[in-house]
Amino acid sequence: MSKIDHIDRRILQELRSDGRIANVELADRVGLSPSACLRRVQELERSGVINGYRAVIDPAKVGLTFIAYVAVGLSSHTKKSQSDFEAAVADAPEVRECHNITGTIEYLLRVETADLAAYKHFHTEVLGVLPQVHSITTYVLMDSPKDERG
């Protein structure tokens, strides 16, 4: 897609807040005909600007009441160390997000578990046994006054 204009941005904003909105209603909200709106959405999908739709699930309602962000420092800064670590956390269902970041640590994880005991098990038996891991710092989530993850 060569350029995103203000109408495309409005379409994206509406889809961010309701990915299941009917095309007719979306078209009405952004001021397009339904066929023009559908063409724009399809182009946004085709070009990879929109790369999927998903359900946003409330972790607490499915029994995941302990949420933490975990800063992980690696003992080695090689590509192999990074790829081995990424493969290990990709297999861990507790890890909902994994971000490679800059600074004094290499990764920031969003971890969701049922409770503190389940997190302790993850911390000790999953992260703690990985040979690439040098440091683990846990930040327990207390509240999310703004959360626009989709």
Side-chain angles (χ1 to χ4, degrees):
M1 182 153 207
S2 60
K3 199 168 193 174
I4 296 177
D5 63 15
H6 74 283
I7 295 173
D8 289 333
R9 290 186 197 290
R10 289 184 60 205
I11 289 170
L12 294 172
Q13 181 181 353
E14 293 294 334
L15 289 173
R16 261 190 218 109
S17 61
D18 182 2
R20 295 182 64 168
I21 188 172
N23 182 61
V24 172
E25 185 176 347
L26 177 61
D28 186 53
R29 288 187 188 182
V30 300
L32 292 174
S33 70
S35 60
C37 184
L38 182 58
R39 281 194 300 276
R40 281 183 179 252
V41 170
Q42 289 171 335
E43 178 58 23
L44 290 165
E45 292 169 344
R46 188 195 62 71
S47 66
V49 172
I50 297 173
N51 58 28
Y53 299 89
R54 61 186 58 112
V56 179
I57 298 166
D58 182 338
K61 291 190 177 169
V62 293
L64 301 172
T65 59
F66 186 91
I67 300 171
Y69 284 89
V70 181
V72 179
L74 300 185
S75 52
S76 172
H77 303 283
T78 65
K79 184 65 179 165
K80 177 166 179 18
S81 182
Q82 287 183 336
S83 60
D84 288 350
F85 174 78
E86 290 171 9
V89 297
D91 288 338
E94 301 90 347
V95 177
R96 301 298 301 144
E97 298 176 32
C98 175
H99 306 280
N100 183 217
I101 61 175
T102 64
T104 58
I105 54 139
E106 285 72 41
Y107 289 92
L108 184 64
L109 310 178
R110 179 181 170 95
V111 176
E112 300 176 357
T113 63
D115 52 28
L116 180 58
Y119 175 74
K120 182 179 179 185
H121 178 267
F122 168 79
H123 181 280
T124 308
E125 302 298 325
V126 178
L127 279 185
V129 299
L130 295 177
Q132 306 83 10
V133 173
H134 170 69
S135 65
I136 303 170
T137 305
T138 303
Y139 301 92
V140 177
L141 187 74
M142 293 171 52
D143 191 14
S144 297
K146 181 176 182 179
D147 184 350
E148 293 185 358
R149 286 172 299 121

